[in-house]
Coordinates of all heavy atoms in Angstrom, one line a residue:
C79 N 88.6 178.5 82.3 CA 89.4 178.6 81.1 C 90.9 178.2 81.4 O 91.3 178.4 82.6 CB 89.3 180.0 80.4 SG 90.2 181.3 81.2
A80 N 91.5 177.8 80.4 CA 92.9 177.3 80.6 C 93.7 177.6 79.3 O 93.1 177.8 78.2 CB 93.0 175.8 80.9
T81 N 95.0 177.7 79.5 CA 95.8 178.0 78.3 C 97.2 177.3 78.4 O 97.7 176.9 79.5 CB 96.1 179.6 78.3 OG1 96.8 179.9 77.0 CG2 96.9 180.1 79.4
T82 N 97.8 177.1 77.2 CA 99.1 176.5 77.1 C 99.8 177.1 75.9 O 99.2 177.4 74.9 CB 99.0 175.0 76.9 OG1 100.3 174.5 76.9 CG2 98.3 174.6 75.7
Y83 N 101.1 177.4 76.1 CA 101.9 177.9 75.0 C 102.1 176.8 74.0 O 102.3 175.6 74.4 CB 103.3 178.3 75.6 CG 104.2 178.9 74.5 CD1 104.2 180.3 74.3 CD2 105.1 178.1 73.8 CE1 105.0 180.8 73.3 CE2 105.9 178.7 72.8 CZ 105.8 180.0 72.6 OH 106.6 180.6 71.6
T84 N 102.1 177.1 72.8 CA 102.3 176.1 71.7 C 103.0 176.7 70.5 O 102.8 177.9 70.2 CB 101.0 175.5 71.3 OG1 101.2 174.6 70.2 CG2 100.0 176.6 70.8
Y85 N 103.8 175.9 69.9 CA 104.5 176.4 68.6 C 103.6 176.2 67.4 O 103.9 176.7 66.3 CB 105.7 175.6 68.4 CG 106.8 175.8 69.4 CD1 107.1 175.0 70.5 CD2 107.6 177.0 69.3 CE1 108.0 175.2 71.4 CE2 108.6 177.2 70.2 CZ 108.8 176.4 71.3 OH 109.8 176.6 72.2
Y86 N 102.5 175.5 67.6 CA 101.6 175.1 66.5 C 100.4 175.9 66.4 O 99.5 175.8 67.2 CB 101.2 173.6 66.6 CG 102.5 172.7 66.7 CD1 102.8 172.2 68.0 CD2 103.3 172.5 65.7 CE1 103.9 171.4 68.1 CE2 104.4 171.7 65.8 CZ 104.7 171.1 67.0 OH 105.8 170.4 67.2
S87 N 100.3 176.8 65.4 CA 99.2 177.7 65.3 C 97.8 177.1 65.1 O 96.8 177.7 65.5 CB 99.5 178.7 64.1 OG 100.6 179.4 64.3
D88 N 97.8 175.9 64.6 CA 96.5 175.3 64.3 C 96.1 174.1 65.2 O 95.1 173.4 65.0 CB 96.5 174.7 62.8 CG 96.6 175.9 61.8 OD1 96.1 177.0 62.1 OD2 97.2 175.7 60.8
A89 N 96.9 173.9 66.3 CA 96.6 172.8 67.2 C 95.7 173.3 68.4 O 95.8 174.4 68.8 CB 97.9 172.3 67.8
Y90 N 94.8 172.4 68.8 CA 94.1 172.6 70.0 C 94.1 171.4 70.8 O 94.4 170.3 70.3 CB 92.6 173.1 69.7 CG 91.8 172.1 68.9 CD1 91.1 171.1 69.6 CD2 91.8 172.2 67.6 CE1 90.4 170.2 68.8 CE2 91.0 171.3 66.8 CZ 90.3 170.3 67.5 OH 89.6 169.4 66.7
Y91 N 93.9 171.5 72.1 CA 94.1 170.4 73.1 C 92.9 170.1 73.9 O 92.3 171.0 74.5 CB 95.3 170.8 74.0 CG 96.5 171.2 73.2 CD1 96.8 172.5 72.8 CD2 97.4 170.2 72.7 CE1 97.9 172.8 72.1 CE2 98.5 170.5 72.0 CZ 98.7 171.8 71.6 OH 99.8 172.1 70.9
L92 N 92.6 168.8 73.9 CA 91.3 168.4 74.6 C 91.5 168.0 76.0 O 90.6 167.9 76.8 CB 90.8 167.2 73.8 CG 90.6 167.3 72.3 CD1 89.9 166.1 71.7 CD2 89.7 168.6 72.0
E93 N 92.7 167.7 76.4 CA 93.0 167.1 77.7 C 93.6 168.2 78.7 O 94.5 168.9 78.3 CB 93.9 165.9 77.6 CG 93.2 164.8 76.9 CD 94.1 163.5 76.8 OE1 95.2 163.6 77.3 OE2 93.6 162.5 76.3
A94 N 93.1 168.2 79.9 CA 93.6 169.1 80.9 C 95.1 169.1 81.1 O 95.7 170.1 81.5 CB 92.8 168.9 82.2
V95 N 95.7 167.9 81.0 CA 97.1 167.7 81.2 C 98.0 168.6 80.3 O 99.1 169.0 80.7 CB 97.5 166.3 81.1 CG1 97.4 165.8 79.6 CG2 98.9 166.0 81.6
H96 N 97.4 169.1 79.2 CA 98.2 169.9 78.3 C 98.3 171.3 78.7 O 99.1 172.1 78.2 CB 97.6 169.8 76.9 CG 97.7 168.5 76.2 ND1 99.0 168.0 75.8 CD2 96.8 167.6 75.9 CE1 98.8 166.8 75.3 NE2 97.5 166.5 75.3
Y97 N 97.4 171.8 79.6 CA 97.3 173.2 80.0 C 98.1 173.5 81.2 O 98.2 172.8 82.2 CB 95.8 173.5 80.2 CG 95.0 173.5 78.9 CD1 94.4 172.3 78.5 CD2 94.9 174.6 78.1 CE1 93.7 172.2 77.3 CE2 94.2 174.5 76.9 CZ 93.6 173.3 76.5 OH 92.9 173.3 75.4
D98 N 98.8 174.7 81.1 CA 99.7 175.1 82.2 C 99.1 176.1 83.1 O 99.5 176.2 84.3 CB 100.9 175.7 81.5 CG 101.7 174.8 80.6 OD1 101.9 173.6 81.0 OD2 102.0 175.2 79.5
Y99 N 98.2 176.9 82.6 CA 97.6 178.0 83.4 C 96.1 177.9 83.4 O 95.5 177.6 82.4 CB 98.0 179.4 82.9 CG 99.5 179.6 82.8 CD1 100.2 179.4 81.6 CD2 100.2 179.9 84.0 CE1 101.6 179.5 81.6 CE2 101.6 180.0 83.9 CZ 102.3 179.9 82.7 OH 103.6 180.0 82.7
W100 N 95.5 178.2 84.6 CA 94.0 178.1 84.8 C 93.5 179.3 85.4 O 94.2 180.0 86.3 CB 93.7 176.9 85.6 CG 94.1 175.6 85.0 CD1 95.3 175.0 84.9 CD2 93.2 174.7 84.3 NE1 95.2 173.8 84.2 CE2 93.9 173.6 83.9 CE3 91.8 174.7 84.1 CZ2 93.4 172.5 83.2 CZ3 91.2 173.6 83.4 CH2 92.0 172.6 83.0
G101 N 92.2 179.7 85.1 CA 91.6 180.7 85.8 C 90.9 180.2 87.1 O 91.0 179.1 87.4
Q102 N 90.2 181.2 87.7 CA 89.6 180.8 89.0 C 88.2 180.2 88.9 O 87.7 179.7 89.8 CB 89.6 182.1 89.9 CG 88.4 183.0 89.7 CD 88.5 183.7 88.4 OE1 89.5 183.8 87.7 NE2 87.4 184.4 88.0
G103 N 87.7 180.4 87.7 CA 86.4 179.8 87.4 C 85.2 180.8 87.6 O 85.3 181.7 88.3
T104 N 84.1 180.5 86.9 CA 82.9 181.3 87.0 C 81.7 180.3 87.0 O 81.7 179.3 86.2 CB 82.8 182.3 85.8 OG1 81.7 183.1 86.0 CG2 82.7 181.6 84.4
Q105 N 80.8 180.6 87.9 CA 79.7 179.7 88.1 C 78.6 179.9 87.1 O 78.2 181.0 86.8 CB 79.1 179.9 89.5 CG 77.9 179.0 89.8 CD 78.2 177.6 90.0 OE1 79.1 177.2 90.7 NE2 77.4 176.7 89.3

């Protein structure tokens, strides 16, 4: 999972480059 701060309540992002923080992953 990944997350990014945004001013836009209705926007979502398809590309990894937009995300600032990432989890460690689950198999």
Side-chain angles (χ1 to χ4, degrees):
C79 72
T81 186
T82 183
Y83 183 89
T84 178
Y85 291 101
Y86 306 105
S87 296
D88 294 329
Y90 59 89
Y91 304 94
L92 308 183
E93 297 182 355
V95 68
H96 291 292
Y97 292 89
D98 301 314
Y99 303 99
W100 295 79
Q102 83 290 347
T104 185
Q105 177 71 48

